[in-house]
Amino acid sequence: MIPTLLQLFWTFFLIGLFNFGGGGAMISLIQSKVVTEFGWISQGQFTDIVAISQTTPGPIGINCATYVGYEVGSGFGGLLPGIAGSATATFALVLPSFIIFWGIVALYNKYHGTPLFGNVMGGLRPVVAGLIGAAALILMFNLGFDGVEILRENFPDWTSWAILAASVAASLLFKVNPILLILAGGLLGFIIY
């Protein structure tokens, strides 16, 4: 169990260290590590974890790390290994932020008025948009070298696609509050499925 916890710590430490743009942007990084590389959880479990992480209070990346850590730890049997996995993954994910925060505060105080600082911050915006877009595609499609296929477990029938289209339209065209969309989608999913 200890080697797995150390690997879990290192994995989430690196995700926390190299992530820009918050929790939504790190979903694709988490998926590539915990599902594809290590096989700790299945794609279906990961999709469920992302859905739960979005509907529970708190940052999605931290919630996701906590749930993944619990799944990995509980594989060793019992509640305590699951809690140890949760604590390990969550601590590892936020630790780089604390370290980087203090470094950025020092740099910001020194360089915040320079053009280079503004250019670097402006250059990060497209990267964040790309990572969030990648996360959405990973949850919808199985993207591989042998082709692209829809993840049937996430979109089992036309009704799920209709709910997705209605949510996107309601958000973009009518500016419906995302919390209401999440609640409505959850209610519809409960009723239909």
Side-chain angles (χ1 to χ4, degrees):
M1 180 174 151
I2 299 298
T4 302
L5 288 178
L6 291 173
Q7 190 174 37
L8 189 68
F9 177 88
W10 184 245
T11 299
F12 278 96
F13 181 82
L14 290 176
I15 290 169
L17 184 63
F18 293 110
N19 177 59
F20 289 97
M26 75 175 58
I27 291 173
S28 61
L29 296 172
I30 295 172
Q31 187 272 345
S32 70
K33 291 293 186 183
V34 303
V35 175
T36 307
E37 186 174 333
F38 297 118
W40 286 330
I41 59 174
S42 69
Q43 180 63 44
Q45 286 175 301
F46 183 73
T47 302
D48 291 342
I49 286 171
V50 170
I52 291 168
S53 296
Q54 290 178 332
T55 58
T56 53
I60 184 174
I62 293 173
N63 290 348
C64 201
T66 303
Y67 292 130
V68 168
Y70 183 80
E71 287 293 323
V72 172
S74 64
F76 292 98
L79 180 65
L80 290 179
I83 292 171
S86 289
T88 300
T90 304
F91 177 71
L93 187 71
V94 299
L95 181 60
S97 297
F98 286 117
I99 295 168
I100 292 169
F101 173 76
W102 292 110
I104 287 177
V105 166
L107 290 173
Y108 179 80
N109 287 336
K110 187 172 183 178
Y111 296 109
H112 75 276
T114 65
L116 177 63
F117 185 82
N119 291 338
V120 168
M121 290 297 126
L124 290 176
R125 286 188 190 112
V127 172
V128 170
L131 287 171
I132 292 172
L137 291 176
I138 284 171
L139 293 175
M140 292 173 58
F141 303 104
N142 184 11
L143 307 170
F145 291 111
D146 55 343
V148 176
E149 59 185 342
I150 296 170
L151 287 171
R152 297 282 178 220
E153 57 191 310
N154 296 343
F155 293 96
D157 55 20
W158 68 270
T159 309
S160 59
W161 286 100
I163 292 171
L164 172 67
S167 297
V168 170
S171 176
L172 295 177
L173 299 176
F174 303 108
K175 307 295 185 215
V176 175
N177 187 317
I179 294 172
L180 293 177
L181 292 175
I182 291 169
L183 292 174
L187 181 63
L188 283 172
F190 181 75
I191 292 168
I192 295 170
Y193 300 106

